[in-house]
Structure formats: C-alpha cells, structure tokens
C-alpha cells in the first residue's frame, strides 16, 4: 500500500504541474504533506509524525546504529551561497570577457552558440555539482540567447543533459553512493562506465547541433552572413560590458578569476565543503570588490532576493524526500521493484536492474535508491554470478533520465535561471534522456560491463 501511495504522490504532483493547477513550490510542500498524513493514518502512527519526516528531509535523520543522514540543508547552504557568489562575480564583470568572446566567435550563428553552450556545460560539469554548472553556463550564454531571440528551453535542455552525462564521475552523487555499498574503488568502477559516458557526451554535442539547425531555420540564418549585423553585435557587447558599470571591477578581474578557479578546484577535490567554500568566497568577494560598506549590503540584499526563489524550491524538494523516506514509501517502492524480477531471469539481473533504474531513479531520491534498493539487489545478483562492478554499472544507467525528476533540487534553479517551466523542460529533456539511456546501456552490454 505504501508503494502505491508513493507512486500516487509523485504522479499527483506531476499532474498538478502539467495542468498548471499549482506552483512547483506549493506542490512540493502541500502534496507530500497530504500524502504523508495519509501514510501515517494507514501505518497507524500519529499524523504529527508527518512533520517529523519533513524535518528529517530538511535537516537530518538518525538511522539504525546511530547513522546520520543529512537532508537538503547542506544543499541549501551550497545553493544559497553559490548563487550569491556567482551573482557578485556577474556584478563585477568576471564573465564579461567570456561572453564577449562567445559573441564575437558566434557572429550571429545559432549553431555556434548551441555547440558552445554544450561544450561549456560538459567542461564545467566536471565538478559534479549541477547548481554551479547552471550558474556559470547561464552567466556566459543566457544573454546571447535572449538577444538573438533563441529558444531558452534549448539552453535548459543542453545544461540538464550535459550535466547528466558528467554526473557519472566518481566524485558526484551516484557513484559516490554506490562505491561504499558495493565495496569497490573509483578506478575499477569508472573504467567500464567511460565508453558510455564518451558516447553520451557526443550525443550532447549532437543535441546542440540539432538545436542549432532548428534555430538557423527558424531565425532565417544565412551562412556567412549571420543573423546579427555588426552594429547589433556591438550593441550586444555594449549591453554586456556597459550595463551596471558602477558595480564592475575590471582591475580586479585576475583576483576574482584566481579565487573562482581556486574554489572550483577545492570543490572538485572535495577538500572543503562546497557550502563553506562559497560562504567564505562570497564574504571575500564583497569585501575586496566593494570597499564601501553600503555597497556591500546593497549587493548582498539585491542578489539575496534573486536566490530566494530557487532556495525555496529546494526546501520543497526536502519536504517531498523527507515524506518519501520517513513514511517508508521509498523502501516499499524499492521492494516492490525487486519483487518484479522473476527467479528464472536471475542470470540477467544486471540488465534487469538497469531497466529498473529508469523508474527507480525517477521516483526515488538517490539515497533511497543506492542505500535502500541497491543493497537488496546486489546479493541476489551475486548469487547468480554477477560482480559488484557489473551491478554498479547497471545502477548508473537510469541516471540518464533522473535529470527530469522533480526530486532533483538543482533543476528548479535551472528552470528559474532559463525562465522556462519545469514541465516544458521535462518534455524536452526526456527526448534525449531516453536516447542516452538506450545508448549507454547498449554500449555497456556490448563491452560486457553489463553481462547478458
């Protein structure tokens, strides 16, 4: 019953969004509260327990053996101060040279702009953090999309899809969760995944190429001429470089660049917590770039208002994840998915698990999938001769469509920044997400990473 309730909760939320009956924030809060109270009544626990589950989703939960799992609070800290930091970097003009370079290189060609967006996304996504990728790519590319009247949904899909490909690196969420469960190291895990990642990265470039062709046709691009005249191109450059000049600090560009690179390196190496890095970075950036105390306060307040929308949505994501986990819906969904595997097909468990990961990683939080479902599946697979690496590779395949799930917090930052609706983004992303799943799974089967 709890599994059915869990499915219904996600489906209800999505149906309300599709029908434009509720905002994402209200839906993320109210729908899980209603279903959480229903789950409490069904399981015979006090309905006030629902609010305890919400608390656990937001802050922390203490599991068996005293193991503590964190909610979305660390993510919110990272998100809030990452937005504040990169907003300050936008104010001071750190990304102006990159934007100007892209404008001049593109010469009004939508194809070049699309491909540039894909390449930047794949490169920046190496840090394994979706929020950072969104902020950097939109900072450098969104002005071009707007000025050339290109479809911003394409930029959203490019960022989401490119980030899903690089989300498979060992220091990102999925592999970092699977490694301790399966007791395998990053090198032996990454090597069999790499061929599929490379193919998916090429698919990301092809995605950008496809969008570029569509936009060339829609906008009337003529090869060699460009959509923009020289004066229009210069006007865009002026908009980038001459807007809010009172906040720009061109003389400090190298300091700001070195500090940003240092933060990104420390983030990738996981030496210091990302939220603390951006917290300290924001403070340093404000003090160094704006000696005037009133200017520091005004920029903090202005950029803080911009951060409020996406941060509130991550709070909402914590509510729905807390109810899923605390009520037992996640565990029930996990066991229901396991029960679907016929005993006669035991030799194909890695491939079956790859297929199960499609709905599993859409309907379940990463923690529930890798710490709830994977430990149940793995021993069954081992009894049929599968290795930890094989079952680990299979567990990653569904990540191709995970970046359309309403449970992925940074996606709300993505749709907010690119100014598209979540449902519109989902529809566009899933076209490429399913193709990526088929591509990566097929390559894993052909290379023997997933045995059949």
């Amino acid at each position: 019953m709890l599994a059915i309730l869990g499915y219904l909760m996600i489906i209800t939320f999505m149906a309300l969004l599709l029908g434009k009956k509720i905002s994402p924030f209200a839906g993320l809060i109210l729908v899980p509260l209603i279903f959480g109270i229903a789950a409490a009544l069904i399981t015979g626990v006090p309905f006030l327990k629902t609010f305890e589950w919400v608390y656990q989703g937001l802050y922390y939960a203490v599991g068996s053996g005293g193991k503590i799992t964190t909610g979305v609070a660390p993510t919110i800290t990272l998100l809030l101060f990452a937005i504040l930091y990169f907003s300050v970097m936008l104010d001071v003009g750190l990304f102006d040279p990159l934007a100007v370079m892209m404008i001049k290189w593109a010469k009004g060609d939508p194809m070049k702009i699309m491909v540039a967006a894909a390449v930047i996304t794949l490169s920046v996504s190496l840090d394994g953090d979706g929020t950072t990728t969104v902020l950097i790519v939109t900072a450098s590319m969104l002005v071009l999309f707007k000025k050339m009247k290109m479809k911003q949904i394409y930029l959203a899909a490019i960022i989401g899809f490119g980030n899903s490909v690089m989300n498979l690196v060992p220091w990102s969420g999925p592999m970092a969760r699977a490694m301790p469960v399966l007791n395998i190291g990053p090198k032996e895990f990454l090597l069999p995944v790499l061929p599929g990642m490379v193919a998916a990265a090429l698919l990301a470039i092809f995605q950008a190429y496809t969008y570029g062709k569509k936009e060339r046709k829609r906008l009337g691009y003529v090869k060699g001429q460009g959509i923009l005249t020289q004066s229009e191109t210069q006007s865009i450059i002026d908009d980038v470089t001459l807007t809010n000049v009172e906040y720009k600090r061109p003389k400090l560009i190298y300091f700001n660049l070195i500090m940003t690179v240092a933060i990104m390196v420390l983030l990738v190496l996981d030496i210091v917590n990302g939220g603390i890095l951006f917290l300290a970075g924001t403070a340093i950036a404000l003090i160094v770039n704006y000696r005037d105390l009133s200017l520091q306060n005004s920029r903090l307040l202005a950029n803080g208002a911009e951060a409020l929308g996406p941060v509130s949505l991550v709070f909402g994501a914590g509510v729905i994840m807390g109810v899923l986990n605390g009520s037992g819906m996640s565990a029930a969904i996990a066991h229901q998915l396991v029960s679907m595997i016929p005993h006669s097909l035991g030799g194909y468990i890695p491939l079956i698990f790859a297929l199960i990961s499609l709905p599993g990683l859409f309907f379940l939080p990463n923690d529930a999938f890798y710490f709830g479902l994977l430990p149940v599946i793995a021993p069954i697979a081992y009894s049929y001769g599968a290795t930890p690496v094989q079952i680990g590779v299979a567990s990653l395949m569904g990540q191709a469509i995970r970046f359309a799930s309403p449970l992925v917090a940074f996606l709300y930052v993505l749709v907010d920044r690119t100014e598209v609706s979540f449902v519109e983004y989902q529809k566009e992303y899933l076209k490429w997400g399913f193709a990526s799943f088929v591509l990566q799974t097929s390559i894993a089967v052909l290379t023997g990473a997933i045995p059949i």
Side-chain angles (χ1 to χ4, degrees):
M1 184 64 189
L2 283 175
I4 295 172
L5 206 60
Y7 287 128
L8 283 174
M9 181 170 71
I10 301 293
I11 291 168
T12 301
F13 171 67
M14 292 310 306
L16 290 171
L17 280 188
L18 283 167
K20 298 182 179 179
K21 302 294 184 183
I22 200 168
S23 70
F25 174 72
L28 285 166
I29 303 296
L30 298 177
V31 172
L33 278 177
I34 292 169
F35 277 86
I37 291 170
L41 295 175
I42 289 171
T43 55
V45 300
F47 77 92
L48 289 176
K49 192 79 172 175
T50 304
F51 299 95
E52 184 179 323
W53 299 334
V54 170
Y55 180 91
Q56 292 170 353
L58 293 175
Y59 301 106
Y60 68 91
V62 181
S64 57
K67 182 180 178 182
I68 296 176
T69 56
T70 58
V72 296
T75 302
I76 288 170
T77 304
L78 171 65
L79 173 59
L80 174 60
F81 289 103
I83 290 176
L84 287 175
Y85 179 81
F86 284 110
S87 295
V88 172
M89 290 299 106
L90 281 170
D91 287 342
V92 301
L94 176 62
F95 299 102
D96 286 2
L98 177 61
V100 171
M101 183 182 73
M102 289 289 119
I103 292 166
K104 290 180 177 178
W105 176 75
K107 294 180 180 177
D109 184 352
M111 177 72 73
K112 288 183 177 180
I113 296 170
M114 292 291 184
V115 173
V119 171
I120 294 172
T121 297
L122 291 169
S123 302
V124 176
S125 295
L126 274 170
D127 75 338
D129 179 67
T131 301
T132 309
T133 300
V134 171
L135 295 173
I136 291 176
V137 179
T138 54
S140 57
M141 301 302 300
L142 189 57
V143 64
L144 270 174
F145 274 73
K146 286 184 173 180
K147 292 295 181 181
M148 291 184 59
K149 297 181 173 56
M150 293 168 62
K151 291 185 177 180
Q152 290 168 217
I153 183 61
Y154 290 160
L155 180 61
I158 285 172
I159 296 173
F161 185 66
N163 200 260
S164 77
V165 175
M166 305 313 293
N167 189 49
L168 301 179
V169 292
W171 51 85
S172 68
M175 198 175 283
R177 287 173 172 84
M179 283 190 291
V181 173
L182 300 171
N183 195 28
I184 54 180
K187 183 179 178 181
E188 59 183 317
F189 201 169
L190 180 60
L191 286 176
V193 176
L194 269 177
M197 282 184 67
V198 172
L202 293 174
L203 181 61
I205 301 297
F206 179 72
Q207 174 196 33
Y209 171 79
T210 302
Y211 288 157
K213 283 186 67 176
K214 289 181 179 178
E215 288 297 80
R216 275 180 170 181
K217 184 177 180 180
R218 186 178 69 86
L219 297 171
Y221 171 80
V222 177
K223 190 174 181 180
Q225 294 182 14
I227 295 171
L228 304 173
T229 65
Q230 188 172 353
S231 62
E232 287 172 329
T233 301
Q234 187 58 48
S235 175
I236 295 176
I237 293 174
D238 290 343
D239 281 345
V240 172
T241 57
L242 301 180
T243 301
N244 296 325
V245 289
E246 66 272 24
Y247 302 134
K248 296 188 186 296
R249 296 294 184 266
K251 292 181 180 180
L252 292 171
I253 189 166
Y254 290 111
F255 170 83
N256 290 315
L257 177 61
I258 291 169
M259 182 168 65
T260 302
V261 170
I263 288 174
M264 297 303 293
V265 169
L266 291 172
L267 192 67
V268 169
L269 296 178
D270 198 22
I271 294 174
V272 183
N273 175 271
I276 296 172
L277 279 173
F278 285 114
L279 172 66
T282 302
I284 294 169
L286 285 170
I287 291 171
V288 172
N289 288 282
Y290 303 118
R291 300 296 176 89
D292 186 328
L293 185 60
S294 63
L295 199 53
Q296 288 180 26
N297 290 330
S298 69
R299 295 324 300 153
L300 188 62
L301 289 172
N303 293 324
E306 187 178 356
L308 180 62
V311 167
S312 66
L313 289 171
V314 178
F315 270 111
V319 173
I320 197 169
M321 286 190 283
V323 171
L324 271 171
N325 291 329
S327 65
M329 292 183 202
S330 286
I333 291 172
H335 285 94
Q336 189 267 332
L337 290 171
V338 171
S339 69
M340 293 167 57
I341 304 175
H343 185 76
S344 59
L345 296 178
Y348 297 94
I349 283 184
L351 179 60
I352 294 171
F353 189 43
L355 296 173
I356 286 176
S357 72
L358 267 178
L361 285 166
F362 187 88
F363 285 102
L364 294 173
N366 263 333
D367 285 341
F369 184 84
Y370 287 102
F371 297 136
L373 183 56
L374 184 57
V376 176
I377 285 278
I380 301 172
Y382 299 158
S383 69
Y384 286 96
T387 67
V389 172
Q390 290 169 344
I391 200 68
V393 172
S395 75
L396 296 177
M397 295 299 100
Q399 290 293 332
I401 63 99
R402 175 161 181 77
F403 281 48
S405 170
L407 302 179
V408 180
F410 93 88
L411 293 181
Y412 298 104
V413 186
L414 174 60
V415 297
D416 178 77
R417 286 279 167 155
T418 53
E419 301 168 7
V420 299
S421 74
F422 191 87
V423 173
E424 186 184 8
Y425 162 78
Q426 276 186 315
K427 290 177 181 177
E428 190 59 42
Y429 176 90
L430 285 172
K431 299 173 188 175
W432 299 95
F434 281 117
S436 181
F437 171 80
V438 172
L439 179 64
Q440 292 189 68
T441 304
S442 300
I443 289 173
V445 169
L446 290 172
T447 59
I450 294 179
I452 56 173

